[in-house]
Amino acid sequence: MSVPHDQEYQAITTSSAAVSTTAITMAAFGFTAADLAAATRAVVSTHNSGSGGVSYSYDGIAPTNTSGHNLDKTDLPTVLWGNVQINNLQFIRDHQGTDGVVTITLETTQGGYAITTTTAGGTTTTSGGTTTTSYP
């Protein structure tokens, strides 16, 4: 797969979700269907108070705490390209047994894409910027 380095990207929205012993899908992050449909790149990072990280997959098969790709809190963010892979992302805490928090920023190629994100505080529409929603 070729990586489109020559394109400009803009953030659609950013969200975080807790990762524990049960695999979670992109639905746990609260992204809208429109955001997920428009996403062409995702920047994924993790942080937690313990030493553990997360395992993730993007092929539609749920990872286990010992399978999938590992992302530790000290790792650089992972960048995934492709709408299918982004929509298939799933996460679970890794074998070290410490719950973590995964933060994902969905991005799309530059081009005047307007989004509407609904949060507990109301609805925000952003054109060409970033909308941030946090979920504990």
Side-chain angles (χ1 to χ4, degrees):
M1 179 172 136
S2 64
V3 178
H5 292 290
D6 60 340
Q7 297 183 25
E8 284 189 44
Y9 285 84
Q10 68 182 31
I12 297 174
T13 187
T14 300
S15 184
S16 298
V19 178
S20 190
T21 57
T22 302
I24 62 170
T25 65
M26 292 297 281
F29 290 85
F31 293 120
T32 66
D35 291 345
L36 288 169
T40 55
R41 186 167 80 170
V43 180
V44 182
S45 62
T46 185
H47 50 89
N48 58 30
S49 58
S51 59
V54 299
S55 292
Y56 70 94
S57 66
Y58 54 87
D59 59 3
I61 299 172
T64 68
N65 64 354
T66 58
S67 71
H69 300 279
N70 187 263
L71 183 61
D72 192 61
K73 70 177 183 175
T74 59
D75 292 341
L76 293 173
T78 295
V79 178
L80 288 168
W81 281 269
N83 187 267
V84 172
Q85 289 85 352
I86 292 167
N87 281 276
N88 283 335
L89 274 170
Q90 296 183 56
F91 300 88
I92 193 167
R93 76 178 185 192
D94 72 6
H95 65 280
Q96 297 180 32
T98 303
D99 290 359
V101 174
V102 170
T103 300
I104 299 175
T105 299
L106 296 180
E107 298 178 337
T108 188
T109 52
Q110 188 72 31
Y113 177 75
I115 61 153
T116 301
T117 302
T118 303
T119 64
T123 300
T124 304
T125 301
T126 305
S127 222
T130 303
T131 301
T132 302
T133 307
S134 295
Y135 295 91

Short mmCIF file of all heavy atoms in Angstrom, two decimals, residues 9-10 14 16-17 19 24 27 46-48 57 59 69 72-74 79-81 86 93-94 100 105 123 125 135:
data_model
loop_
_atom_site.label_atom_id
_atom_site.label_comp_id
_atom_site.label_asym_id
_atom_site.label_seq_id
_atom_site.Cartn_x
_atom_site.Cartn_y
_atom_site.Cartn_z
N TYR A 9 -3.69 16.83 5.32
CA TYR A 9 -4.79 16.26 6.07
C TYR A 9 -5.31 17.28 7.07
O TYR A 9 -4.57 18.11 7.56
CB TYR A 9 -4.36 14.99 6.81
CG TYR A 9 -4.21 13.82 5.88
CD1 TYR A 9 -3.04 13.62 5.17
CD2 TYR A 9 -5.25 12.93 5.71
CE1 TYR A 9 -2.91 12.55 4.31
CE2 TYR A 9 -5.14 11.86 4.84
CZ TYR A 9 -3.97 11.67 4.15
OH TYR A 9 -3.85 10.62 3.28
N GLN A 10 -6.59 17.17 7.38
CA GLN A 10 -7.15 18.00 8.44
C GLN A 10 -7.86 17.08 9.41
O GLN A 10 -8.40 16.05 9.03
CB GLN A 10 -8.13 19.03 7.88
CG GLN A 10 -9.40 18.44 7.31
CD GLN A 10 -10.31 19.51 6.74
OE1 GLN A 10 -9.84 20.52 6.25
NE2 GLN A 10 -11.60 19.28 6.80
N THR A 14 -11.48 14.22 17.41
CA THR A 14 -10.63 13.42 18.29
C THR A 14 -11.49 12.89 19.42
O THR A 14 -12.34 13.61 19.95
CB THR A 14 -9.48 14.27 18.87
OG1 THR A 14 -8.70 14.77 17.79
CG2 THR A 14 -8.60 13.45 19.80
N SER A 16 -11.47 9.81 22.89
CA SER A 16 -10.75 8.84 23.71
C SER A 16 -11.74 7.86 24.31
O SER A 16 -12.90 8.20 24.53
CB SER A 16 -9.99 9.54 24.85
OG SER A 16 -9.04 10.42 24.35
N ALA A 17 -11.28 6.65 24.57
CA ALA A 17 -12.12 5.64 25.22
C ALA A 17 -11.24 4.77 26.10
O ALA A 17 -10.08 4.53 25.79
CB ALA A 17 -12.85 4.79 24.19
N VAL A 19 -9.90 1.36 27.65
CA VAL A 19 -9.69 0.02 27.12
C VAL A 19 -9.45 -0.90 28.29
O VAL A 19 -8.60 -0.64 29.13
CB VAL A 19 -8.50 -0.01 26.14
CG1 VAL A 19 -8.26 -1.42 25.63
CG2 VAL A 19 -8.74 0.95 24.99
N ILE A 24 -13.01 -3.46 22.36
CA ILE A 24 -13.94 -2.40 21.99
C ILE A 24 -13.74 -2.04 20.52
O ILE A 24 -12.64 -2.16 19.99
CB ILE A 24 -13.79 -1.15 22.87
CG1 ILE A 24 -12.40 -0.52 22.74
CG2 ILE A 24 -14.14 -1.45 24.31
CD1 ILE A 24 -12.28 0.84 23.40
N ALA A 27 -17.20 2.12 17.73
CA ALA A 27 -18.45 2.62 18.30
C ALA A 27 -18.25 3.15 19.73
O ALA A 27 -18.92 4.09 20.14
CB ALA A 27 -19.52 1.53 18.29
N THR A 46 -1.90 5.88 22.98
CA THR A 46 -2.43 5.37 24.24
C THR A 46 -1.67 6.00 25.39
O THR A 46 -0.52 6.41 25.27
CB THR A 46 -2.34 3.83 24.31
OG1 THR A 46 -2.98 3.39 25.52
CG2 THR A 46 -0.91 3.34 24.30
N HIS A 47 -2.36 6.08 26.52
CA HIS A 47 -1.74 6.54 27.76
C HIS A 47 -2.50 5.91 28.91
O HIS A 47 -3.67 5.56 28.81
CB HIS A 47 -1.74 8.07 27.86
CG HIS A 47 -3.08 8.69 27.60
ND1 HIS A 47 -4.02 8.90 28.55
CD2 HIS A 47 -3.63 9.11 26.44
CE1 HIS A 47 -5.10 9.44 28.01
NE2 HIS A 47 -4.90 9.58 26.72
N ASN A 48 -1.80 5.69 29.98
CA ASN A 48 -2.42 5.15 31.19
C ASN A 48 -1.52 5.42 32.37
O ASN A 48 -0.40 5.88 32.23
CB ASN A 48 -2.72 3.65 31.04
CG ASN A 48 -1.48 2.84 30.74
OD1 ASN A 48 -0.37 3.19 31.15
ND2 ASN A 48 -1.64 1.75 30.03
N SER A 57 -6.32 -4.46 16.49
CA SER A 57 -6.39 -5.08 15.16
C SER A 57 -7.20 -4.16 14.27
O SER A 57 -7.97 -3.32 14.74
CB SER A 57 -7.02 -6.47 15.23
OG SER A 57 -8.38 -6.36 15.61
N ASP A 59 -8.37 -5.68 11.10
CA ASP A 59 -8.86 -6.58 10.07
C ASP A 59 -10.28 -7.08 10.34
O ASP A 59 -10.78 -7.94 9.64
CB ASP A 59 -7.92 -7.78 9.91
CG ASP A 59 -7.75 -8.57 11.20
OD1 ASP A 59 -8.41 -8.25 12.22
OD2 ASP A 59 -6.96 -9.53 11.20
N HIS A 69 -1.65 -6.16 17.20
CA HIS A 69 -0.50 -5.26 17.27
C HIS A 69 -0.48 -4.62 18.64
O HIS A 69 -1.51 -4.26 19.18
CB HIS A 69 -0.60 -4.18 16.19
CG HIS A 69 -0.63 -4.74 14.81
ND1 HIS A 69 0.50 -5.13 14.14
CD2 HIS A 69 -1.67 -4.98 13.98
CE1 HIS A 69 0.16 -5.58 12.95
NE2 HIS A 69 -1.14 -5.50 12.83
N ASP A 72 2.13 0.58 23.18
CA ASP A 72 2.42 0.90 24.58
C ASP A 72 2.38 2.41 24.78
O ASP A 72 2.52 3.18 23.83
CB ASP A 72 3.80 0.36 24.95
CG ASP A 72 4.05 0.40 26.44
OD1 ASP A 72 3.29 -0.25 27.18
OD2 ASP A 72 4.99 1.10 26.86
N LYS A 73 2.21 2.83 26.01
CA LYS A 73 2.10 4.27 26.29
C LYS A 73 3.37 5.03 25.94
O LYS A 73 3.33 6.23 25.74
CB LYS A 73 1.73 4.51 27.75
CG LYS A 73 2.82 4.18 28.75
CD LYS A 73 2.38 4.51 30.15
CE LYS A 73 3.50 4.26 31.14
NZ LYS A 73 3.13 4.68 32.46
N THR A 74 4.50 4.35 25.80
CA THR A 74 5.74 5.03 25.45
C THR A 74 5.99 5.04 23.94
O THR A 74 6.94 5.65 23.48
CB THR A 74 6.94 4.36 26.15
OG1 THR A 74 7.01 2.99 25.75
CG2 THR A 74 6.82 4.47 27.66
N VAL A 79 -0.13 5.54 12.89
CA VAL A 79 -0.95 6.16 11.85
C VAL A 79 -1.46 5.07 10.93
O VAL A 79 -0.69 4.27 10.41
CB VAL A 79 -0.14 7.20 11.04
CG1 VAL A 79 -1.00 7.81 9.94
CG2 VAL A 79 0.41 8.28 11.96
N LEU A 80 -2.78 5.02 10.76
CA LEU A 80 -3.41 4.06 9.86
C LEU A 80 -4.06 4.81 8.71
O LEU A 80 -4.73 5.82 8.93
CB LEU A 80 -4.48 3.25 10.59
CG LEU A 80 -3.97 2.23 11.59
CD1 LEU A 80 -5.10 1.72 12.45
CD2 LEU A 80 -3.32 1.08 10.85
N TRP A 81 -3.85 4.32 7.50
CA TRP A 81 -4.48 4.88 6.31
C TRP A 81 -5.54 3.91 5.82
O TRP A 81 -5.33 2.70 5.86
CB TRP A 81 -3.46 5.10 5.19
CG TRP A 81 -2.62 6.31 5.36
CD1 TRP A 81 -2.89 7.54 4.89
CD2 TRP A 81 -1.37 6.41 6.04
NE1 TRP A 81 -1.89 8.41 5.22
CE2 TRP A 81 -0.95 7.74 5.93
CE3 TRP A 81 -0.58 5.51 6.73
CZ2 TRP A 81 0.24 8.19 6.49
CZ3 TRP A 81 0.59 5.95 7.28
CH2 TRP A 81 0.99 7.28 7.16
N ILE A 86 -9.67 1.72 9.28
CA ILE A 86 -10.08 2.60 10.38
C ILE A 86 -11.38 2.11 10.99
O ILE A 86 -11.52 1.99 12.21
CB ILE A 86 -10.21 4.06 9.90
CG1 ILE A 86 -8.83 4.61 9.55
CG2 ILE A 86 -10.90 4.92 10.95
CD1 ILE A 86 -8.86 5.91 8.78
N ARG A 93 -6.94 -4.27 26.32
CA ARG A 93 -5.70 -4.05 27.07
C ARG A 93 -4.77 -5.23 26.86
O ARG A 93 -5.19 -6.35 26.60
CB ARG A 93 -5.98 -3.80 28.54
CG ARG A 93 -6.33 -5.01 29.34
CD ARG A 93 -6.55 -4.63 30.80
NE ARG A 93 -6.78 -5.82 31.59
CZ ARG A 93 -7.22 -5.80 32.82
NH1 ARG A 93 -7.49 -4.65 33.42
NH2 ARG A 93 -7.39 -6.91 33.48
N ASP A 94 -3.48 -4.97 26.95
CA ASP A 94 -2.52 -6.04 26.67
C ASP A 94 -2.33 -6.94 27.89
O ASP A 94 -2.97 -6.78 28.92
CB ASP A 94 -1.20 -5.48 26.14
CG ASP A 94 -0.37 -4.77 27.20
OD1 ASP A 94 -0.73 -4.80 28.39
OD2 ASP A 94 0.66 -4.19 26.82
N GLY A 100 -5.99 1.02 29.96
CA GLY A 100 -5.42 2.19 29.33
C GLY A 100 -6.49 3.04 28.70
O GLY A 100 -7.67 2.71 28.72
N THR A 105 -7.45 10.39 16.59
CA THR A 105 -7.83 11.54 15.80
C THR A 105 -8.12 11.05 14.39
O THR A 105 -7.25 10.46 13.75
CB THR A 105 -6.71 12.60 15.76
OG1 THR A 105 -6.45 13.04 17.09
CG2 THR A 105 -7.11 13.79 14.88
N THR A 123 -24.52 20.51 20.18
CA THR A 123 -24.00 20.18 18.86
C THR A 123 -23.03 21.24 18.40
O THR A 123 -23.31 22.43 18.51
CB THR A 123 -25.16 20.07 17.85
OG1 THR A 123 -26.05 19.06 18.30
CG2 THR A 123 -24.65 19.73 16.47
N THR A 125 -20.59 22.43 15.10
CA THR A 125 -20.24 22.24 13.71
C THR A 125 -18.89 22.89 13.47
O THR A 125 -18.67 24.04 13.85
CB THR A 125 -21.30 22.88 12.78
OG1 THR A 125 -22.56 22.26 13.05
CG2 THR A 125 -20.93 22.66 11.32
N TYR A 135 -14.22 10.95 26.29
CA TYR A 135 -15.06 9.99 27.00
C TYR A 135 -14.20 9.31 28.04
O TYR A 135 -13.17 8.75 27.70
CB TYR A 135 -15.64 8.96 26.03
CG TYR A 135 -16.57 9.58 25.02
CD1 TYR A 135 -16.12 10.04 23.80
CD2 TYR A 135 -17.91 9.75 25.32
CE1 TYR A 135 -16.97 10.61 22.88
CE2 TYR A 135 -18.78 10.33 24.42
CZ TYR A 135 -18.30 10.77 23.20
OH TYR A 135 -19.16 11.35 22.32
#
